[in-house]
Amino acid sequence: MKTRAITGFFFVVVMLGSFFAGAAVYSIFFGLLAIVCLQEFYGLLKKSGSSPNVATGLINGAYTYAAFAALFHWDVYPEAQTIHKLVFLLVPAMLAVFVQELYRNTDKPFQNIAYTFLGIIFTIVPFSFFHALGFVTNTGFSAHIPMGFLLMLWANDTGAYLVGRQFGRAKLFERHSPKKTWEGFIGGIIISAIAGYVLSIYFKELEWKQWVSMAIIISVIGTLGDLVESMFKRSINVKDSGGILPGHGGLLDRFDGLLLAAPMVFTYLYFIFN
């Protein structure tokens, strides 16, 4: 428990520090987190006997994140007028996944290709949407919304754990996550919504109703993301995605709620600001 608490404290400090260090550090930091999550995903697949194209997948993942992150820095640095053209280099980069499989002697080449792209879709794309939350206001970089996202996600996880542990009776989805309960699920939504309202007092980019709506989306979709990751790990008989965080497991375990929630929250906010 002590190791878990110490690791959690320093992880939160480093994460929150990345928000205040500027747009470049924010982009690089979460890009690195995305790549580590992708590496953990491929590692789990290899343990199960699958053979994704790890090196090519990591290169494609890094480039996918960087290409879309660069689009937002175009607004921060107007002199980079042609930076959007980097996105088109994704075409030959993605084709390399198919071509490389021609030179590998494996029994299931298209399964390998599918798992390689699934890793990018499951980890890199959500982190790209999360990164975009820092620029969704169309006024340059602002750390308030992505920071608020994580604070509400953590509030949901904490609320669900505490309420579920104290009052939990009815199982939410026992087949994939035996410890989750409906009571904890509802408690997490309430605690996250309260956190959203508190954030609205200090962060004025959104009205309180929008912060609370964002909290509800994070709680509901984030819980589904948690269940999807649990389903994936159970399908390959693995408990933790990795051991990079002592006492906490892997990064993929820590960001499972973000994977489905970030794209949904960005979509919601995009229509608010546009």
Side-chain angles (χ1 to χ4, degrees):
M1 183 62 72
K2 183 178 179 180
T3 300
R4 181 182 177 88
I6 293 173
T7 302
F9 173 77
F10 283 104
F11 181 66
V12 170
V13 169
V14 171
M15 177 128 355
L16 294 179
S18 69
F19 290 115
F20 298 102
V25 172
Y26 166 78
S27 298
I28 293 171
F29 178 76
F30 282 98
L32 291 174
L33 291 184
I35 294 302
V36 173
C37 286
L38 179 58
Q39 186 175 32
E40 288 183 353
F41 183 86
Y42 288 150
L44 292 176
L45 287 173
K46 289 178 75 67
K47 287 181 180 179
S48 70
S50 300
S51 184
N53 299 313
V54 177
T56 308
L58 290 174
I59 292 172
N60 271 275
Y63 188 78
T64 299
Y65 178 91
F68 284 100
L71 294 177
F72 295 100
H73 287 271
W74 180 12
D75 294 330
V76 178
Y77 305 105
E79 62 272 15
Q81 293 297 315
T82 61
I83 203 167
H84 65 284
K85 295 181 180 179
L86 290 173
V87 174
F88 293 98
L89 292 179
L90 284 171
V91 176
M94 294 292 182
L95 289 178
V97 177
F98 293 90
V99 175
Q100 183 189 25
E101 201 63 33
L102 292 173
Y103 296 92
R104 301 178 74 201
N105 186 17
T106 59
D107 296 329
K108 300 177 180 179
F110 274 89
Q111 178 178 294
N112 300 335
I113 293 170
Y115 277 139
T116 302
F117 282 115
L118 177 61
I120 295 172
I121 294 170
F122 190 61
T123 61
I124 300 298
V125 171
F127 270 96
S128 296
F129 274 104
F130 177 80
H131 170 268
L133 291 176
F135 304 86
V136 72
T137 60
N138 298 319
T139 58
F141 174 66
S142 173
H144 289 169
I145 290 180
M147 186 191 305
F149 178 103
L150 287 182
L151 291 173
M152 289 185 287
L153 181 63
W154 293 337
N156 173 70
D157 291 344
T158 303
Y161 172 77
L162 294 177
V163 174
R165 184 177 181 181
Q166 188 70 28
F167 305 105
R169 297 293 182 273
K171 299 299 183 181
L172 178 64
F173 221 122
E174 189 171 9
R175 181 157 55 96
H176 297 303
S177 187
K179 294 182 179 180
K180 280 186 168 50
T181 63
W182 278 101
E183 293 84 355
F185 174 64
I186 295 171
I189 293 176
I190 293 173
I191 299 300
S192 184
I194 293 173
Y197 180 78
V198 173
L199 286 170
S200 71
I201 299 174
Y202 301 98
F203 298 162
K204 301 299 184 181
E205 288 86 352
L206 298 169
E207 298 177 4
W208 74 267
K209 294 180 181 179
Q210 294 165 338
W211 277 109
V212 171
S213 296
M214 186 173 158
I216 294 172
I217 294 173
I218 290 171
S219 297
V220 175
I221 307 300
T223 300
L224 292 175
D226 190 340
L227 289 168
V228 167
E229 204 237 354
S230 295
M231 177 176 65
F232 169 62
K233 289 190 296 184
R234 282 182 175 276
S235 71
I236 57 176
N237 297 315
V238 172
K239 184 178 185 294
D240 295 321
S241 66
I244 193 172
L245 299 173
H248 288 265
L251 283 178
L252 198 58
D253 295 324
R254 302 282 64 81
F255 289 102
D256 50 9
L258 177 150
L259 300 178
L260 296 187
M264 287 296 296
V265 169
F266 177 82
T267 301
Y268 168 69
L269 295 180
Y270 177 83
F271 287 106
I272 287 178
F273 288 108
N274 294 275

